[in-house]
């Protein structure tokens, strides 16, 4: 495993002094796999974490679940989201679960407080506790549950690596990246699902194909396009108020998507 030290890309200043230095790596890759630009160690394995949600969401469409449950751009954008847990996010997640015939407790992501202090204070004032729907990953988990329900698979334990849904999602990402995730180092993400190490250049390849449809079969190409369009059309659902990624996509008006 490559462990070359990445260069300093950002200097954070306070007053007249540089307070902290931040290293990083960059990979710009075309959909045919040709590398255009690299900075730092782009062969080192990384856990993409929430940045990979748009790729994971493809399976909700490809499996047929999106059509079976009439998922709109709102739900598909939520499947890609690291949302604030604002009322608009929470209500749509709960309505989605109702459509699936599931209680909120079916979400195995766990509960955490809304991101914004005002939303957290509103819950406290109403003497309510945050539930799993407030979790910033709840939309992604609804996507997994939708596929499980549509395919007649168990919903309990859907977050386990050996569950067919997680196996299918990991396989899909590996195919798009031209990098097998079968034997790569793995762990558990912050919301409980399995994560697999992947080189930055391979991840960039997967996103280039996601954006262009290049080297994807017709079914996956259409699914990727639906996810892209959902994020571009419903940027609030991807993050929320006072979030840079939402503001960037609103300004871009469909020209690009952004995911933290």
């Amino acid at each position: 495993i490559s462990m070359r030290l990445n260069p300093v890309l950002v200097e954070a200043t306070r007053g007249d002094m540089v307070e902290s230095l931040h290293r990083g790596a960059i990979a710009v890759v075309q959909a045919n796999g040709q590398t255009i630009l690299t900075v730092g160690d782009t062969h080192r394995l990384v856990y993409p974490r929430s940045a990979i949600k748009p790729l994971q969401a493809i399976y909700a469409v490809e499996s047929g679940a999106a059509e079976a449950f009439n998922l709109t751009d709102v739900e598909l954008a939520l499947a890609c989201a690291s949302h604030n847990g604002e009322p608009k996010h929470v209500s749509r997640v709960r309505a989605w679960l109702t459509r699936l015939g599931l209680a909120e407790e079916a979400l195995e992501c766990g509960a955490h407080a809304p991101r914004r202090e005002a939303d957290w204070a509103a819950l406290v004032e109403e003497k309510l506790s945050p539930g799993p729907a407030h979790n910033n990953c709840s939309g992604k988990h609804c996507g997994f549950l939708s596929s499980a329900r549509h395919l007649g698979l168990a919903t309990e334990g859907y977050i386990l690596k050996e569950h067919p849904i997680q196996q299918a999602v990991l396989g899909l990402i590996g195919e798009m990246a031209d990098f097998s995730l079968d034997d790569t180092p793995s762990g558990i993400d912050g919301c409980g699902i399995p994560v697999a190490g992947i080189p930055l250049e391979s991840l960039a390849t997967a996103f280039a194909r996601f954006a262009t449809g290049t080297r994807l079969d017709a079914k996956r190409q259409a699914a990727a396009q639906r996810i892209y369009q959902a994020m571009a059309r419903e940027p609030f659902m991807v993050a929320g108020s006072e979030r840079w990624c939402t503001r960037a996509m609103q300004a871009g008006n469909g020209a690009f998507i952004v995911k933290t």
Side-chain angles (χ1 to χ4, degrees):
I1 298 174
S2 176
M3 293 292 283
R4 182 160 53 92
L5 196 63
N6 286 324
V8 172
L9 299 183
V10 177
E11 293 182 350
T13 61
R14 189 183 298 273
D16 297 327
M17 192 174 81
V18 175
E19 186 175 43
S20 58
L21 305 173
H22 302 267
R23 299 181 181 274
I26 300 170
V28 181
V29 181
Q30 289 185 328
N32 63 6
Q34 180 182 356
T35 298
I36 304 302
L37 170 71
T38 63
V39 176
D41 188 353
T42 57
H43 294 290
R44 180 179 180 176
L45 298 180
V46 299
Y47 286 143
R49 303 293 298 271
S50 286
I52 211 168
K53 287 176 180 175
L55 302 184
Q56 293 168 321
I58 290 173
Y59 191 68
V61 179
E62 192 174 288
S63 68
E67 182 178 2
F69 293 107
N70 297 314
L71 302 186
T72 68
D73 287 340
V74 169
E75 286 85 26
L76 293 178
L78 277 170
C80 305
S82 299
H83 62 72
N84 283 343
E86 296 178 57
K88 287 183 181 179
H89 299 120
V90 176
S91 63
R92 293 306 290 257
V93 166
R94 288 173 172 164
W96 187 354
L97 288 167
T98 299
R99 194 182 307 178
L100 299 177
L102 296 171
E104 187 171 341
E105 290 69 31
L107 292 171
E108 296 181 354
C109 53
H112 62 58
R115 180 185 179 100
R116 300 194 311 164
E117 186 175 343
D119 298 316
W120 173 228
L123 284 178
V124 171
E125 185 175 344
E126 295 177 37
K127 296 182 171 55
L128 297 174
S129 299
H134 291 87
N135 189 302
N136 77 95
C137 298
S138 60
K140 174 179 71 176
H141 283 249
C142 282
F144 295 148
L145 285 168
S146 297
S147 295
R149 292 288 275 178
H150 174 59
L151 298 173
L153 300 170
T155 55
E156 187 175 351
Y158 70 88
I159 63 173
L160 300 176
K161 186 176 183 180
E162 59 268 22
H163 193 282
I165 295 299
Q166 299 304 332
Q167 287 292 303
V169 170
L170 288 169
L172 181 154
I173 294 168
E175 289 168 8
M176 293 184 66
D178 281 341
F179 183 83
S180 174
L181 301 180
D182 292 343
D183 300 317
T184 190
S186 61
I188 302 298
D189 209 339
C191 65
I193 69 160
V195 288
I198 187 171
L200 199 61
E201 284 191 55
S202 299
L203 183 64
T205 299
F207 271 106
R209 291 174 178 170
F210 167 80
T212 64
T214 302
R215 297 193 179 179
L216 304 181
D217 63 38
K219 185 177 181 180
R220 183 161 295 171
Q221 187 179 88
Q225 186 177 29
R226 271 209 74 189
I227 296 300
Y228 184 101
Q229 290 175 343
M231 294 179 71
R233 291 169 178 167
E234 297 289 348
F236 176 85
M237 290 297 169
V238 177
S241 303
E242 303 160 18
R243 294 283 294 280
W244 181 84
C245 38
T246 287
R247 295 201 306 270
M249 287 189 286
Q250 288 170 337
N253 195 31
F256 55 82
I257 59 164
V258 181
K259 182 70 194 75
T260 56

